[in-house]
Amino acid sequence: MTDHKILILPGDGIGPEVMAETQRVMSWFADHRNFSFETTSHLVGGASYDAHGVPITEEAMEEAARADAILFGAVGGERWETVPYEQRPEAALLRLRKELDLFANLRPALVQAPLADASSLKRELVEGLDILILRELTGGVYFGTPRGIEDLGGGKKRGVNTHAYTSDEIRRAAEMAFDLARLREARLCSVEKRNVMEAGALWHEEVVKLHAEKYTDVALSHMLADNCAMQLVRAPKQFDVILTDNLFGDILSDIAAQLTGSLGMLPSASLGQRRKNGTRPALYEPVHGSAPDIAGRDAANPLAMILSFAMALRYSFERPDDAALLEEAVERVLADGLRTADIARGGKSERLVSCSEMGSAVIDALKALAL
Ligand code: NAD
């Protein structure tokens, strides 16, 4: 039996609180599902800056490079807003993404039936929604050069960014999206703006080529990004997997997140290239931040972090049954009416619980389901 190496980076604010509940869930899988792992834990973000003067230490970076999966809580807070940019808490996350070359950001948008009313869209449009957005994370306009602000003289300036993609960057993201689609309903929608952007035309060309080469079993469609934004709020259930670039992915994944209506419920994964031993660098984190307004009160919703661990079970540890079991446990807890404050709507069947009570409820549900 292999021991998986997991790096735990709890971070700031509610990060340590939601991570503690996730670690209890992980222990349950160790005790009852034969999931053998070893963990190392490091400070990250503001907590690391306070202790070591940097948002992530070299030692933590070395552990990150060795880890089979990184579980990341959240970083940031007002206290560190005056710290120089490169030492800010968020710089830790950017460094991890860059040095581990985490080029694919996976954001599922799933609407659990008991929470369908939390969406700003009508229940029938979102109930049962289950889509996955793959956003290319290390290329495109956020990284392209030249970039900067030029002085044109006479008090005028010009801001420049460059949207550029190479064939290789497109292909490795598309390859991952096709592979993921195969694990789901085998439908992939590739999104760009080839009508007005050359990088979009190349994106389309490479995806079509790759599809013909090795993924003809996946149903491939294409959509312009502006139409995709509209379709996501008009009829979101038409999608299975959406593949898109860094810029459009940033926007479309936030629209998809809003369809679910609750930040405290949204997990994410950022994956890199497979290593020679078959594992790949992978960072799992909730979409939400450190929520300083509720930190230290045992009030945070730990489900986004717990569901991020479910993603790790699926994408890093190849344990789809355990991932599904954990997702079902979360669904059961919600169906039983348990709510942290962020997802409470004041319904009669609801029971308001703390962060740690929610963690306990998930473990109870796991026990019941595994009987
Ligand atoms: P946030 O996500 O921390 O909070 C937004 C709102 O949602 C707050 O009212 C918060 O209480 C609530 N919320 C968020 N997660 C919740 C949860 N799990 N349970 C219950 N309620 C929850 O965003 P923000 O307030 O804009 O940012 C706060 C800090 O977090 C900032 O320093 C920001 O830079 C940082 N941040 C970090 C990350 C990250 O670590 N990946 C992401 C976003 C923001």
Side-chain angles (χ1 to χ4, degrees), residues 197-209:
M197 295 166 77
E198 282 76 6
L202 181 68
W203 184 283
H204 177 263
E205 187 184 313
E206 293 293 351
V207 172
V208 168
K209 220 187 311 172

Side-chain angles (χ1 to χ4, degrees), residues 14 18 72-78 81 90 93 263-264 285-294 299-302 342:
I14 61 168
V18 297
F72 189 99
V75 293
E78 231 169 82
E81 270 169 19
E90 292 77 6
L93 198 51
L263 206 48
E285 57 173 331
V287 168
H288 63 72
S290 57
D293 52 333
I294 56 163
N301 183 348
D342 59 310

